[in-house]
């Protein structure tokens, strides 16, 4: 039998979806994929159903670069309720313990400062991390608890902290792999009263700002008014996924050999690391590569012609 042909339109680009509360990331992805009638789509890191905000959706060739957005820094706005601990670390879980809250905003700010920089987090049993191939949250729902290795993450910035009664709101900029639920639980432990997340919004991911997000409802209205053309205009170029990487421009010959999978030389390359690659004569984004020890650039992910 021949290979089953994938249905849908061959779209290439990145949509900055504003995920709604109560929707899973995969559910939001599938709705966006259907709305665009796209042949291929993927997202760049799950948000909890309770969380809202930026969920970059990659269509077509953009899925080759989704890992780089998954690895990128993120910024969140979080509201925590102090004094109440839940099974899951958020408002979707059963209450485990309630304690009085007798901390001042100044004490909270001092406690938050302790989490700046590189820290260790023990992932929640209600995370999507896998243990022997099974997501931890599935084990947790069966009443199974397993040992979890601490993970090193970086908290770049915490700002705008405000305590109103028992509710604490702040913004946090952090590295990949950071669990905001775990951060809030650890903060509650430091404060001696416990705490859990009641609202979480991802404001940015990698190079993408909050202002460019769009909801599924807004997409639907645009499509009703202007069809595919109206919503296709919202897709960002593939190159934006690595917009903050060093850029290397290649001559036509080098671009040709790079497309054949061969490492090439370039005069304007950095000494090391990953780079975004362009054909100088056409300004065309070719993909990304890595600078080798001998100074050549090896292709790592290339856009298909």
């Amino acid at each position: 039998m021949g290979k089953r042909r994938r249905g849908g339109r061959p779209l290439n680009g990145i949509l900055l979806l504003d995920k709604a509360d109560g929707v899973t990331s995969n559910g939001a992805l599938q709705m966006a994929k259907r709305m665009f009638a796209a042949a291929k789509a993927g997202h760049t890191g799950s948000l909890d159903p309770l969380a809202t905000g930026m969920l970059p959706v990659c269509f077509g060739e953009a899925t080759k670069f989704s890992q780089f957005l998954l690895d990128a820094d993120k910024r969140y706005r979080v509201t925590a309720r102090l004094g109440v601990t839940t099974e899951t670390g958020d408002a979707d879980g059963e209450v485990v313990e309630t304690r009085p809250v007798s901390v001042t905003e100044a004490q909270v700010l001092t406690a938050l400062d302790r989490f700046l920089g590189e820290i260790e987090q023990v992932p929640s049993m209600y995370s999507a991390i896998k243990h022997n191939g099974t997501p931890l949250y599935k084990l947790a729902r069966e009443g199974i608890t397993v040992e979890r290795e601490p993970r090193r993450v970086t908290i770049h910035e915490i700002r705008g902290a405000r305590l109103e009664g028992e509710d604490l709101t702040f913004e946090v900029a952090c590295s990949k792999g950071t669990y905001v639920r775990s951060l809030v639980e650890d903060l509650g432990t430091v404060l001696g009263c416990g705490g859990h997340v009641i609202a979480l919004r991802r404001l940015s991911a990698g190079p993408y700002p909050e202002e460019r997000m769009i909801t599924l409802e807004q997409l639907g209205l645009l499509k009703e008014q202007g069809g595919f053309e109206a919503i296709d205009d919202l897709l960002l170029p593939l190159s934006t996924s690595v917009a903050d990487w060093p850029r290397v421009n290649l001559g036509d010959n080098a671009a040709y050999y790079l497309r054949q999978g061969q490492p090439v030389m370039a005069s304007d390359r950095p000494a090391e690391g990953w780079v975004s690659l362009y054909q100088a004569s056409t300004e065309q984004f070719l993909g990304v590569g890595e600078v080798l020890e001998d100074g050549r650039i090896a292709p790592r992910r290339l856009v298909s012609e």
Side-chain angles (χ1 to χ4, degrees):
M1 289 179 66
K3 188 176 179 181
R4 185 171 178 264
R5 188 174 179 182
R6 189 191 300 272
R9 301 191 300 145
L11 285 177
N12 296 312
I14 298 166
L15 175 74
L16 302 185
L17 186 64
D18 186 347
K19 188 188 85 66
D21 182 8
V23 182
T24 67
S25 293
N26 186 60
L29 164 68
Q30 297 304 327
M31 285 185 274
K33 184 181 178 183
R34 285 194 296 271
M35 196 168 293
F36 279 86
K40 184 179 182 182
H43 65 67
T44 58
S46 295
L47 281 170
D48 292 336
L50 169 143
T52 66
M54 186 170 290
L55 184 71
V57 174
C58 297
F59 293 110
E61 288 288 287
T63 57
K64 292 180 178 178
F65 305 95
S66 60
Q67 182 64 42
F68 306 125
L69 291 172
L70 184 62
D71 292 344
D73 291 343
K74 313 291 193 302
R75 180 178 289 276
Y76 299 89
R77 183 185 302 118
V78 55
T79 300
R81 176 143 309 151
L82 302 180
V84 180
T85 305
T86 69
E87 280 185 334
T88 58
D90 63 21
D92 288 339
E94 294 292 323
V95 173
V96 174
E97 186 178 14
T98 302
R99 281 180 276 180
V101 179
S102 57
V103 295
T104 65
E105 190 167 274
Q107 289 173 319
V108 171
L109 291 172
T110 299
L112 283 170
D113 282 344
R114 294 175 55 172
F115 294 95
L116 290 171
E118 195 174 81
I119 63 171
E120 284 195 340
Q121 280 191 335
V122 176
S124 166
M125 273 303 300
Y126 286 86
S127 67
I129 294 172
K130 292 184 178 179
H131 175 76
N132 295 333
T134 303
L136 289 178
Y137 66 82
K138 288 191 175 180
L139 296 175
R141 287 170 185 166
E142 295 172 9
I144 300 170
T145 301
V146 298
E147 193 75 21
R148 284 101 64 207
E149 286 294 319
R151 290 156 49 124
R152 298 199 74 80
V153 298
T154 302
I155 307 298
H156 299 296
E157 181 187 29
I158 296 175
R159 71 181 189 189
R162 190 174 69 255
L163 182 64
E164 295 182 352
E166 297 174 348
D167 290 350
L168 169 68
T169 301
F170 61 92
E171 284 189 19
V172 56
C174 52
S175 67
K176 71 167 184 174
T178 302
Y179 281 94
V180 178
R181 282 180 298 163
S182 296
L183 176 64
V184 166
E185 288 181 309
D186 293 343
L187 174 65
T189 299
V190 169
L191 294 173
C193 60
H196 70 281
V197 172
I198 60 172
L200 182 65
R201 181 167 178 78
R202 187 189 283 164
L203 302 176
S204 65
Y208 298 127
E210 182 180 14
E211 299 76 34
R212 298 298 300 270
M213 286 191 285
I214 188 165
T215 65
L216 284 167
E217 289 74 18
Q218 290 169 326
L219 275 174
L221 287 173
L222 278 173
K223 188 177 177 183
E224 281 181 21
Q225 295 165 1
F228 285 126
E229 187 176 341
I231 59 173
D232 288 355
D233 282 346
L234 297 170
L235 298 183
L236 300 175
L238 278 55
S239 59
T240 59
S241 62
V242 290
D244 48 359
W245 288 25
R247 171 173 171 155
V248 173
N249 297 300
L250 299 177
D252 291 345
N253 285 340
Y256 171 80
Y257 287 111
L258 184 88
R259 285 194 178 105
Q260 310 311 308
Q262 299 182 31
V264 298
M265 291 299 297
S267 58
D268 63 344
R269 59 166 173 76
E272 60 182 7
W274 286 64
V275 294
S276 59
L277 300 166
Y278 290 78
Q279 185 164 343
S281 61
T282 61
E283 290 284 308
Q284 183 181 358
F285 176 62
L286 303 173
V288 298
E290 187 177 10
V291 180
L292 302 176
E293 288 185 3
D294 63 8
R296 293 181 301 161
I297 299 174
R300 295 296 185 229
R301 297 276 194 285
L302 296 182
V303 179
S304 297
E305 291 186 85

